[in-house]
Amino acid sequence: MLTDRQLLILQVIIEDFIHSAQPVGSRSLSKKDEITFSSATIRNEMSDLEELGFLEKTHTSSGRIPSEKGYRYYVDHLLSPQAPKKNEMKLLKSVFVERIYELEKIVQKSAKILSELTNYTAIVLGPKVNEHKLKKIQIVPLSPDAAIAIIITDTGHVENRMISLPPSFDINEIEKMVNILNARLVDVPLVDLKDKIYKEVAALLSRHIHNYGSIVSVLADTLTDTKPEKIFFGGKTNMLRQPEFHDIAKVSTLLSMIEQEQGFYDLITQNPAGIHVKIGRENQNTVLDDCSLITATYSIGQEQVGTLAILGPTRMEYSRVISLLSFFSKDLTTLMTKLYQK
Amino acid sequence: MLTDRQLLILQVIIEDFIHSAQPVGSRSLSKKDEITFSSATIRNEMSDLEELGFLEKTHTSSGRIPSEKGYRYYVDHLLSPQAPKKNEMKLLKSVFVERIYELEKIVQKSAKILSELTNYTAIVLGPKVNEHKLKKIQIVPLSPDAAIAIIITDTGHVENRMISLPPSFDINEIEKMVNILNARLVDVPLVDLKDKIYKEVAALLSRHIHNYGSIVSVLADTLTDTKPEKIFFGGKTNMLRQPEFHDIAKVSTLLSMIEQEQGFYDLITQNPAGIHVKIGRENQNTVLDDCSLITATYSIGQEQVGTLAILGPTRMEYSRVISLLSFFSKDLTTLMTKLYQK
DNA sequence: TGTTAGCACTCTGTCTCTTTGAGTGCTAAT
DNA sequence: ATTAGCACTCAAAGAGACAGAGTGCTAACA
């Protein structure tokens, strides 16, 4: 529906605006090498593009800036993927060089590096631990009415929770109980723990443990309220560097939302596999009206386990960020698969 | 050296400026109830106070604002301690109502509540874990060359570290080793672990474990590189609400420093017991030139274990924040002492 | 001798007016 | 279909005027 010339103009305007943050006028456009026709022609085309909703004006006699629809079209059709540069690659790879086994550290460092590389805010959702399997369970009594339960997964992840012991519970039976739990629950995925405890272990415990009723529910509850995937941020204050956020009132609500962290959880989890770009109001959140969010998923084997995301202004370097995320998510998938694939 | 009247004027100016953030003029001062003399008299006194360095002007014909020296004098001599209000008390106490045993959660929640109550940024340094005693040690092999070591302290704190096993190490000897370690190291403070391992446990291990040499050093290293006290923040973006930080360039460096988190570690650890106020350039850091930092320590029994701090503009509600911190640090000390005093 | 009224002076912030420059839209010529 | 030319628009920046809040100083006062 759009002519080649219109596409060219749209692309050049968007790319110019992404770098300059200034409305683009017909005269400055006509000076570009790619553009062989006059400023008057450009004006006519720009006028048409505006009528079609791809461009906007900030005031009647200003140059044009891309509309959300313009960005959308650009991202969907005009993007020229550009391979990351050598030094960018190197920086990305540096996440993997230390022989780190702990997932959380890899993920946290990823957020940091992505934010440094893009100058935007990086948000990384850690891998789901629900699918991980129990390697060992350990219960250490601390006082007559409290103990600490430690769960170790096959991926080297350790979680610990306080459990309140029922008043009538005999501390000496803890060891017995732990043995039973380990015998029965090792290699069970964390999500299935609760079920398994009630269906199989409860009966067993009843035979060996006094007062088993009260402890079973406590165990099942504490062991299975698995924490959701952890969320890591990098470059939380990078938004301050963007000229469009030079107004404190505007940036303040945004930074508050970023500080809350959890607000982004839903925004980022609900994406299917692959790379996705949400532009401005597509995010369904007035605070993010002037922001774009690019998400990429990563996996262990075939199973998608986490998400990388970059939050920037709508005037974002889409092609660079998309390439970066695509490259990095592949690498992360490879690494994780190698490390944790069973 | 200062007359009573000068003190009164200084105090009223500072308190007015703290609330209005506007330079205070002689006429508006003379209208206050506490002030019984004319604006001309006030002008003379203000002129003297300026000459003495307690006040400043923003330009030749502006009202006065407090200088750093003025704030210092105010904090040292003029402060009227004010007990926290009922609802503030209630909020502070709410940290303790949930029967939480885990230190980190208490500390994290403290930071959140302090920041909400003050509208400034709260920084809380978690208790040192070095002094805690080993309750149990556990080593779980994950692969032929890696295992995970878990240390549980008597305070319910759990730490875990990856350890790389020496290639020649026989996995089956782990259990034996763990038994020896537990028999010998329980109740040893974490700081003394390394020493004890080399002095007492190494010899024992040599008798029972093949290839003990390599594993001993790995153990000693990984077990004893205790992490420093964790630092928690609340209200990181609260600075944006202060009118003196309505300039992005100014706030940007400050927020970056806050985001780095570790920059505050030294600033906060180096304080001796009690409440301390550092005003503006007293912080020895150009980024904090317009900020004040109020710190309070908390203890377990007699031993000082952590720090609470509030970071705000130099134009800070000193008396309220000091009261709040003093009140809260006492409560925290009481709670911690009750929970963890041996 | 300390206090105060009065007044000239200073500086900021706000308003308005003007100018400049970058840009558009339209028309007519190519 | 394209383009040169021109009138028009708007924002940003600068200059001048003015009000308001403040000071410092002097002289009068108790």
Coordinates of all heavy atoms in Angstrom, one line a residue, chain A residues 267-314:
Chain A
L267 N 4.1 -7.8 33.2 CA 4.4 -7.3 31.9 C 5.4 -8.2 31.1 O 5.3 -8.2 29.9 CB 5.1 -5.9 32.1 CG 4.6 -4.7 31.3 CD1 3.1 -4.6 31.3 CD2 5.3 -3.5 31.8
I268 N 6.2 -8.8 31.8 CA 7.3 -9.6 31.1 C 7.0 -11.0 31.0 O 7.5 -11.7 30.1 CB 8.6 -9.3 31.9 CG1 9.1 -7.9 31.5 CG2 9.7 -10.3 31.6 CD1 10.3 -7.4 32.2
T269 N 6.3 -11.6 32.0 CA 6.0 -13.0 31.9 C 5.0 -13.4 30.9 O 5.1 -14.5 30.3 CB 5.4 -13.5 33.3 OG1 4.7 -12.5 33.9 CG2 6.5 -14.0 34.2
Q270 N 4.1 -12.5 30.5 CA 3.0 -12.9 29.7 C 3.4 -13.0 28.2 O 2.5 -13.1 27.4 CB 1.8 -11.9 29.8 CG 2.1 -10.5 29.4 CD 1.2 -9.5 30.1 OE1 0.4 -9.9 31.0 NE2 1.2 -8.3 29.7
N271 N 4.7 -12.9 27.9 CA 5.1 -13.0 26.5 C 5.4 -14.5 26.1 O 6.1 -15.2 26.8 CB 6.3 -12.2 26.3 CG 5.9 -10.7 26.2 OD1 5.1 -10.3 25.4 ND2 6.5 -9.9 27.1
P272 N 4.9 -14.8 24.9 CA 5.2 -16.1 24.4 C 6.7 -16.1 23.9 O 7.3 -15.1 23.9 CB 4.3 -16.3 23.2 CG 3.9 -14.9 22.8 CD 4.0 -14.1 24.0
A273 N 7.2 -17.3 23.5 CA 8.6 -17.4 23.1 C 8.9 -16.4 21.9 O 8.1 -16.0 21.2 CB 8.9 -18.8 22.6
G274 N 10.2 -16.1 21.9 CA 10.7 -15.3 20.8 C 10.8 -13.8 21.2 O 10.7 -13.5 22.4
I275 N 11.1 -13.0 20.2 CA 11.3 -11.6 20.5 C 10.0 -10.8 20.3 O 9.4 -11.0 19.3 CB 12.4 -11.0 19.6 CG1 13.7 -11.7 20.1 CG2 12.5 -9.5 19.8 CD1 15.0 -11.0 19.7
H276 N 9.7 -9.9 21.2 CA 8.5 -9.1 21.1 C 8.7 -7.7 21.4 O 9.5 -7.4 22.3 CB 7.4 -9.7 21.9 CG 6.9 -11.0 21.5 ND1 5.9 -11.2 20.6 CD2 7.4 -12.3 21.8 CE1 5.7 -12.5 20.4 NE2 6.6 -13.2 21.1
V277 N 8.1 -6.8 20.6 CA 8.3 -5.4 20.9 C 6.9 -4.8 21.2 O 5.9 -4.9 20.4 CB 8.8 -4.7 19.6 CG1 9.0 -3.2 19.8 CG2 10.1 -5.4 19.2
K278 N 6.8 -4.1 22.3 CA 5.6 -3.4 22.7 C 6.0 -1.9 22.7 O 6.9 -1.5 23.4 CB 5.2 -3.7 24.1 CG 4.6 -5.1 24.2 CD 3.1 -5.1 24.4 CE 2.6 -6.5 24.6 NZ 1.4 -6.8 23.9
I279 N 5.2 -1.1 21.9 CA 5.5 0.3 21.7 C 4.5 1.2 22.4 O 3.3 1.0 22.1 CB 5.6 0.6 20.2 CG1 6.7 -0.2 19.5 CG2 5.8 2.1 19.9 CD1 6.6 -0.3 18.0
G280 N 5.0 2.1 23.2 CA 4.2 3.1 23.8 C 2.9 2.5 24.5 O 3.0 1.7 25.4
R281 N 1.8 3.0 24.0 CA 0.5 2.6 24.7 C 0.2 1.1 24.5 O -0.8 0.6 25.1 CB -0.6 3.5 24.2 CG -0.6 4.8 24.9 CD -1.6 5.8 24.2 NE -1.2 6.0 22.9 CZ -1.8 6.9 22.0 NH1 -2.8 7.6 22.5 NH2 -1.3 7.1 20.8
E282 N 0.9 0.4 23.6 CA 0.6 -1.0 23.5 C 0.9 -1.7 24.8 O 0.5 -2.8 25.1 CB 1.6 -1.6 22.4 CG 1.2 -1.2 21.0 CD 2.2 -1.6 20.0 OE1 3.1 -2.5 20.3 OE2 2.2 -1.2 18.8
N283 N 1.7 -1.0 25.7 CA 2.0 -1.6 27.0 C 0.8 -1.6 27.9 O 0.9 -2.1 29.0 CB 3.2 -0.9 27.6 CG 4.5 -1.3 26.9 OD1 4.9 -2.4 26.8 ND2 5.2 -0.2 26.3
Q284 N -0.2 -0.9 27.6 CA -1.4 -0.9 28.4 C -1.2 -0.3 29.8 O -1.7 -0.8 30.8 CB -2.0 -2.3 28.6 CG -2.1 -3.1 27.3 CD -3.4 -2.8 26.6 OE1 -4.2 -1.9 27.0 NE2 -3.7 -3.5 25.5
N285 N -0.3 0.7 29.8 CA 0.0 1.2 31.1 C 0.5 2.7 30.9 O 1.5 3.0 30.3 CB 1.2 0.4 31.8 CG 1.5 0.9 33.2 OD1 1.4 2.1 33.5 ND2 1.9 0.0 34.0
T286 N -0.3 3.6 31.5 CA -0.1 5.0 31.2 C 1.3 5.5 31.5 O 1.9 6.3 30.9 CB -1.1 5.9 31.9 OG1 -1.1 5.5 33.2 CG2 -2.5 5.8 31.3
V287 N 1.9 4.8 32.5 CA 3.2 5.2 32.9 C 4.2 4.9 31.8 O 5.2 5.6 31.7 CB 3.7 4.5 34.2 CG1 5.1 4.8 34.6 CG2 2.7 4.8 35.4
L288 N 3.9 3.9 31.0 CA 4.8 3.5 30.0 C 4.5 4.1 28.6 O 4.9 3.6 27.6 CB 4.9 2.0 29.9 CG 5.3 1.3 31.2 CD1 5.4 -0.2 31.0 CD2 6.7 1.8 31.7
D289 N 3.6 5.0 28.6 CA 3.1 5.6 27.3 C 4.2 6.0 26.4 O 4.1 5.9 25.2 CB 2.2 6.8 27.6 CG 0.7 6.3 27.8 OD1 0.5 5.1 27.8 OD2 -0.1 7.2 28.0
D290 N 5.3 6.5 27.0 CA 6.4 7.0 26.1 C 7.6 6.0 26.1 O 8.7 6.4 25.8 CB 6.9 8.4 26.6 CG 5.8 9.4 26.6 OD1 5.1 9.4 25.6 OD2 5.6 10.1 27.6
C291 N 7.3 4.8 26.5 CA 8.3 3.8 26.5 C 8.0 2.6 25.6 O 6.9 2.3 25.3 CB 8.5 3.2 27.9 SG 8.9 4.5 29.2
S292 N 9.1 1.9 25.2 CA 8.9 0.7 24.5 C 9.6 -0.4 25.3 O 10.6 -0.2 26.0 CB 9.5 0.8 23.1 OG 8.7 1.5 22.2
L293 N 9.1 -1.6 25.2 CA 9.6 -2.7 25.9 C 9.9 -3.8 24.9 O 9.0 -4.3 24.2 CB 8.6 -3.2 27.0 CG 9.0 -4.2 27.9 CD1 10.1 -3.7 28.9 CD2 7.8 -4.7 28.7
I294 N 11.1 -4.3 24.9 CA 11.5 -5.4 24.0 C 11.8 -6.6 24.8 O 12.6 -6.5 25.7 CB 12.7 -5.0 23.1 CG1 12.4 -3.7 22.3 CG2 13.0 -6.1 22.1 CD1 13.4 -3.3 21.4
T295 N 11.1 -7.7 24.6 CA 11.4 -8.9 25.4 C 11.9 -10.0 24.5 O 11.5 -10.1 23.3 CB 10.1 -9.3 26.1 OG1 9.1 -9.5 25.1 CG2 9.6 -8.3 27.1
A296 N 12.7 -10.8 25.1 CA 13.2 -12.0 24.4 C 13.2 -13.2 25.4 O 13.5 -12.9 26.6 CB 14.6 -11.8 23.9
T297 N 12.8 -14.3 25.0 CA 12.8 -15.5 26.0 C 14.1 -16.3 25.8 O 14.7 -16.3 24.8 CB 11.6 -16.4 25.7 OG1 11.6 -16.7 24.4 CG2 10.3 -15.6 26.0
Y298 N 14.4 -17.0 26.9 CA 15.5 -18.0 26.8 C 15.0 -19.3 27.4 O 14.1 -19.4 28.1 CB 16.8 -17.5 27.4 CG 16.7 -17.2 28.9 CD1 17.0 -18.2 29.8 CD2 16.4 -16.0 29.4 CE1 17.0 -18.0 31.2 CE2 16.3 -15.7 30.7 CZ 16.6 -16.7 31.6 OH 16.5 -16.5 33.0
S299 N 15.7 -20.4 27.0 CA 15.2 -21.7 27.3 C 16.3 -22.6 27.9 O 17.5 -22.4 27.7 CB 14.6 -22.3 26.1 OG 13.8 -21.4 25.3
I300 N 15.8 -23.7 28.4 CA 16.7 -24.8 28.7 C 16.1 -26.0 27.8 O 15.0 -26.4 28.1 CB 16.7 -25.2 30.2 CG1 17.3 -24.1 31.0 CG2 17.4 -26.6 30.4 CD1 17.3 -24.4 32.5
G301 N 16.9 -26.4 26.8 CA 16.4 -27.4 25.9 C 15.2 -26.7 25.1 O 15.3 -25.6 24.6
Q302 N 14.1 -27.4 25.2 CA 12.9 -26.9 24.5 C 12.1 -26.0 25.4 O 11.2 -25.3 24.9 CB 12.1 -28.0 23.9 CG 12.7 -28.8 22.8 CD 13.2 -27.9 21.7 OE1 12.4 -27.1 21.2 NE2 14.5 -28.0 21.4
E303 N 12.4 -26.1 26.7 CA 11.4 -25.4 27.6 C 11.9 -24.0 27.9 O 13.0 -23.8 28.4 CB 11.4 -26.3 28.9 CG 10.4 -25.8 29.9 CD 10.7 -26.3 31.3 OE1 11.7 -27.0 31.4 OE2 10.0 -25.9 32.2
Q304 N 10.9 -23.1 27.6 CA 11.2 -21.7 27.9 C 11.2 -21.4 29.4 O 10.2 -21.7 30.1 CB 10.1 -20.9 27.2 CG 10.2 -19.4 27.4 CD 8.9 -18.8 26.9 OE1 8.3 -19.2 26.0 NE2 8.5 -17.7 27.6
V305 N 12.3 -20.9 29.9 CA 12.4 -20.7 31.3 C 12.5 -19.3 31.9 O 12.2 -19.0 33.0 CB 13.6 -21.5 31.9 CG1 13.4 -23.0 31.7 CG2 14.9 -21.0 31.3
G306 N 12.8 -18.3 31.0 CA 13.0 -17.0 31.5 C 12.9 -15.9 30.4 O 12.7 -16.3 29.2
T307 N 13.0 -14.7 30.8 CA 12.9 -13.6 29.8 C 13.9 -12.5 30.0 O 14.3 -12.2 31.1 CB 11.5 -12.9 30.0 OG1 10.5 -14.0 30.0 CG2 11.2 -11.9 29.0
L308 N 14.4 -12.0 28.9 CA 15.3 -10.8 28.9 C 14.4 -9.6 28.4 O 13.7 -9.8 27.5 CB 16.5 -11.0 28.0 CG 17.3 -12.2 28.1 CD1 18.3 -12.3 26.9 CD2 18.1 -12.1 29.4
A309 N 14.6 -8.5 29.0 CA 13.8 -7.4 28.4 C 14.6 -6.1 28.5 O 15.5 -5.9 29.4 CB 12.5 -7.2 29.2
I310 N 14.3 -5.2 27.6 CA 14.9 -3.9 27.6 C 13.8 -2.8 27.5 O 13.0 -2.9 26.7 CB 15.9 -3.7 26.4 CG1 17.0 -4.6 26.4 CG2 16.4 -2.2 26.3 CD1 18.1 -4.3 27.4
L311 N 13.9 -1.9 28.5 CA 12.9 -0.8 28.5 C 13.6 0.5 28.1 O 14.6 0.8 28.7 CB 12.4 -0.7 29.9 CG 11.4 0.4 30.2 CD1 10.0 0.1 29.6 CD2 11.2 0.7 31.7
G312 N 13.1 1.1 27.1 CA 13.7 2.4 26.7 C 12.6 3.3 26.3 O 11.4 3.0 26.4
P313 N 12.9 4.5 25.8 CA 11.9 5.4 25.2 C 11.3 4.8 23.9 O 12.0 4.0 23.3 CB 12.7 6.7 25.0 CG 14.1 6.3 24.8 CD 14.3 5.0 25.6
T314 N 10.2 5.3 23.5 CA 9.7 4.8 22.2 C 10.7 5.1 21.1 O 10.8 4.3 20.2 CB 8.3 5.5 21.9 OG1 8.5 6.9 22.1 CG2 7.2 5.0 22.7

